[in-house]
Amino acid sequence: MTLPISADLIAEHNAKGLEALHEDYEALGRKLARTGIDIDAIKKRVAGFSVAVPSWGAGRGGTRFAKFPIAGEPTNIHEKLEDCSVINQLSTVTPRVSPHFPWDKVSDFKALREEASELGLGWDAVNSNTFQDQVGQAHTYANGSLSSQDAGARQQAVDHNIECIEIGQQLGSTDLTVWVGDGTNFPGQQDFARSLDRYLDAASQIYAALPGDWRMLLEHKMFEPAFYSTVISDWGSSILAAQTIGERCKCLVDLGHHAPNVNIEQIVARLHRFGKLGGFHFNDSKYGDDDLDSGSINPHQLFLVFNELAEAEANPRDGFNPSYMIDQSHNVTDPIESMLSSAEAIAACFAKASLVDRAALHGAQEANDTMMAFQALRRAYNVDVAPILAMARVEAGGAIDVLAAYRASGYRARKAQERKAVGLGAGIV
Ligand code: LRH
Ligand code: MN
């Protein structure tokens, strides 16, 4: 394996902080032991945690107004994999990449799989794209894809999703994420029931092509690109569609796809209750689908989502195997730094949720002791788990301070010399 950052550089960086880390870790260990928690057990859980990074997040993102590229940003999937490898090398919690097609299309996927494995990376869910027209495409998606009234567009979208499955099989993936932007901008533009029925019929054709060990993850979204109605607009439409389509059709929760202040942690509990919790796209937002860094706006909500995941893990329904993936648009930061920071925020919420005294919580809930129930969560949320995350990272060959190590590596400046410049543009990629 030839990794982009030298192990010596990471060791050198860690050497400066190791003594302080051990001090902080032992102090936290003594504090947690007083409440009966074994810090090494939490570290072991954290060492087993991972979240996938989106290939499309390795480059700068943008809005409809503009995208401002940075020097040395990746220009193809090969360079994106290199950057994703840097994130995993330093964080040790992002060993998989979630690709998007046709953005990441190559002629030899077997070679791409080997290339990724050489970089210490595997593959998570593959994402289809029927929200953009490709050059030379026979049928436009301007009026929708899986729900389009145009049978040709629907069949084209079905075929594309099946092609994504075939690509995913070559990469070793076992999940297909299906997000469609299908919807309307005007009342009356399309019939809600007929649109959904067309979607269900087309999605069922994709499901019929799903290999036995694969899942199909439906991603709901309230609005954008449609601004009056969206075919799969919320968890209700998604779970009903997943129940209609098939057992291995599950629901994916993109945190940014809900109206402000929606109780997303309750949606997680509901989807799990009915055995339909398939996965996540982690990010954060203040207004719309802002695709901001996970935990950067509302870290408490992310903690409450992981609290529900800890409850779900303890009470499996049709198993418990949600895919954890990041889905962000890095418009103003170095994408590698944003994904390092986001992976840390996500792992921190997983660790804090593991610190909740569930017996105390459940006891207080049964006793209607509201304050003590809330305090059971708040006590865990208030723990600074950074020493646990850093110790787990160091023991896995990662960096104590991921951002400092990344900056010390001079990786981006090096890539700015090697890579061709990305042109100005707009949009997410
Ligand atoms: C839609 C979405 C979806 C991806 C796209 C890049 O907003 O969240 O998951 O296909 O972003
Ligand atoms: Mn998403």
Side-chain angles (χ1 to χ4, degrees):
M1 221 187 278
T2 39
L3 299 177
I5 307 275
S6 83
D8 296 346
L9 180 136
I10 297 175
E12 228 172 272
H13 157 83
N14 286 346
K16 294 183 229 133
L18 218 47
E19 194 185 331
L21 172 58
H22 278 285
E23 240 173 64
D24 295 348
Y25 186 82
E26 273 132 39
L28 179 58
R30 286 191 295 276
K31 180 166 178 248
L32 292 175
R34 286 201 297 271
T35 57
I37 296 173
D38 169 11
I39 192 171
D40 290 338
I42 305 297
K43 181 187 62 177
K44 195 157 175 286
R45 249 180 87 69
V46 167
F49 177 81
S50 63
V51 57
V53 289
S55 61
W56 62 94
R60 265 282 177 91
T63 69
R64 57 184 168 169
F65 299 106
K67 186 176 96 150
F68 302 100
I70 55 169
E73 72 166 271
T75 62
N76 56 44
I77 184 61
H78 308 288
E79 294 174 351
K80 289 176 182 178
L81 287 179
E82 212 182 348
D83 293 6
C84 291
S85 179
V86 169
I87 299 165
N88 187 46
Q89 230 192 312
L90 298 174
S91 75
T92 75
V93 295
T94 60
R96 294 178 311 283
V97 176
S98 181
H100 218 300
F101 299 107
W103 295 339
D104 298 328
K105 213 166 194 173
V106 294
S107 54
D108 183 344
F109 286 105
K110 195 165 167 307
L112 190 69
R113 182 175 183 169
E114 274 146 30
E115 186 183 331
S117 134
E118 264 306 299
L119 290 164
L121 298 171
W123 300 89
D124 207 304
V126 295
N127 297 267
S128 59
N129 176 343
T130 59
F131 50 87
Q132 294 172 322
D133 285 349
Q134 307 304 321
V135 177
Q137 191 174 295
H139 301 275
T140 179
Y141 293 134
N143 304 306
S145 61
L146 296 178
S147 76
S148 173
Q149 90 321 316
D150 166 16
R154 295 199 303 276
Q155 191 56 51
Q156 181 180 270
V158 168
D159 297 344
H160 166 65
N161 276 277
I162 293 174
E163 184 198 1
C164 289
I165 294 171
E166 286 153 4
I167 292 171
Q169 285 183 288
Q170 297 175 66
L171 295 175
S173 175
T174 57
D175 283 337
L176 168 71
T177 297
V178 181
W179 170 68
V180 296
D182 296 20
T184 65
N185 278 10
F186 287 82
Q189 181 181 341
Q190 283 298 337
D191 178 84
F192 297 140
R194 284 195 289 280
S195 299
L196 182 61
D197 284 341
R198 291 191 295 261
Y199 169 91
L200 291 172
D201 174 65
S204 299
Q205 290 175 45
I206 300 169
Y207 185 79
L210 212 59
D213 60 344
W214 273 59
R215 300 180 307 174
M216 183 170 161
L217 309 179
L218 307 183
E219 183 177 0
H220 60 271
K221 182 174 182 179
M222 186 174 67
F223 75 99
E224 189 207 39
F227 294 101
Y228 169 64
S229 74
T230 293
V231 173
I232 302 296
S233 57
D234 57 22
W235 75 276
S237 306
S238 186
I239 199 170
L240 292 170
Q243 288 170 335
T244 306
I245 293 165
E247 203 205 323
R248 286 176 290 110
C249 186
K250 308 274 185 181
C251 305
L252 180 143
V253 179
D254 183 312
L255 300 193
H257 289 186
H258 305 87
N261 305 323
V262 160
N263 188 327
I264 298 175
E265 55 272 24
Q266 184 171 326
I267 293 173
V268 171
R270 290 283 178 276
L271 291 172
H272 174 67
R273 166 64 186 76
F274 295 97
K276 284 297 182 186
L277 183 61
F280 289 85
H281 277 177
F282 293 118
N283 48 55
D284 213 333
S285 52
K286 196 165 178 59
Y287 306 105
D289 185 21
D290 312 340
D291 279 341
L292 300 173
D293 290 9
S294 300
S296 63
I297 305 294
N298 190 347
H300 192 237
Q301 174 179 264
L302 188 59
F303 163 72
L304 294 175
V305 165
F306 273 95
N307 176 56
E308 287 309 323
L309 288 166
E311 288 286 343
E313 187 181 356
N315 308 287
R317 303 263 181 174
D318 187 18
F320 176 78
N321 176 25
S323 275
Y324 297 145
M325 295 167 274
I326 291 172
D327 177 6
Q328 293 169 189
S329 181
H330 306 117
N331 303 355
V332 295
T333 55
D334 178 321
I336 289 179
E337 294 193 351
S338 270
M339 291 206 269
L340 285 169
S341 160
S342 302
E344 172 95 355
I346 294 164
C349 287
F350 173 78
K352 289 174 187 258
S354 307
L355 291 173
V356 173
D357 179 342
R358 304 233 157 249
L361 172 65
H362 299 160
Q365 289 167 340
E366 288 312 309
N368 287 315
D369 184 342
T370 304
M371 181 46 69
M372 283 310 132
F374 171 68
Q375 289 304 326
L377 296 185
R378 183 44 55 93
R379 263 197 308 278
Y381 181 67
N382 286 343
V383 175
D384 173 5
V385 293
I388 300 174
L389 302 182
M391 192 63 84
R393 262 196 311 273
V394 166
E395 290 174 358
I400 290 177
D401 181 334
V402 291
L403 291 174
Y406 171 65
R407 293 198 171 185
S409 76
Y411 177 82
R412 187 62 75 192
R414 204 163 60 240
K415 295 301 148 187
Q417 303 305 318
E418 295 169 13
R419 294 173 178 173
K420 67 180 193 309
V422 170
L424 293 177
I428 186 166
V429 288

